[in-house]
Amino acid sequence: MKTLVVATHNKNKIREISQILPDWEIVAEDSGAEETAETFAGNALIKAKAIAPRHPGAWVMADDSGLEVNALGGAPGVRSARYAGEDGNTPANNALLLKNLTGIADRRARFVCAIALLDPEGHEHVVTGHCPGVIRTAASGANGFGYDPLFEPDGFDRTFAELSPEEKNAISHRGRALAELRRVLGG
């Protein structure tokens, strides 16, 4: 089994990556890097490059993902995890999103995931996945994490948080980006 070092401390992301790439041993390492880029791809590269020197000759990846809401000009965007201020405060982020969409009819949105991969020779590869949908007016479901209870993907009448992990991984932004990444990894 080959090893993929992933720059994250998010156990939910590690679980999803492990489910989608079952032939790889996933080793998580917090990059400690500050996400200062204006794009998901830029932030993913920052994190991957932060841990790569500690793993010479290894496959190293990082993702940056978030929610873009049309009516909010693409917000929360790259600040999705910090939308309400504190990093990773899901209840506050979801509450602020719902508040900011009060009275707005156009609730179209999309999840975005950019993955930066550094191969054993140090070459950079960046792939992106998207999942369009809408933001519901109230949370529903107990699976998933982050904005999943509010996001209903196109073609479904359930939120990400109401889908099974297999259903979500087949259509999610991260699932689509990892499908592209699988080609780079060689299968």
Side-chain angles (χ1 to χ4, degrees), residues 44 61 70 98 105 141 174:
M61 76 160 262
N70 293 4
L98 290 175
R174 187 167 295 107

Side-chain angles (χ1 to χ4, degrees), residues 2-38:
K2 296 185 270 185
T3 301
L4 179 62
V5 182
V6 180
T8 188
H9 63 275
N10 186 322
K11 291 179 175 146
N12 293 304
K13 283 186 182 184
I14 292 299
R15 185 186 69 247
E16 287 185 0
I17 293 166
S18 297
Q19 290 168 343
I20 296 168
L21 298 175
D23 297 335
W24 287 77
E25 176 189 9
I26 307 301
V27 176
E29 180 176 329
D30 190 348
S31 72
E34 188 175 347
E35 297 176 25
T36 57
E38 299 283 325

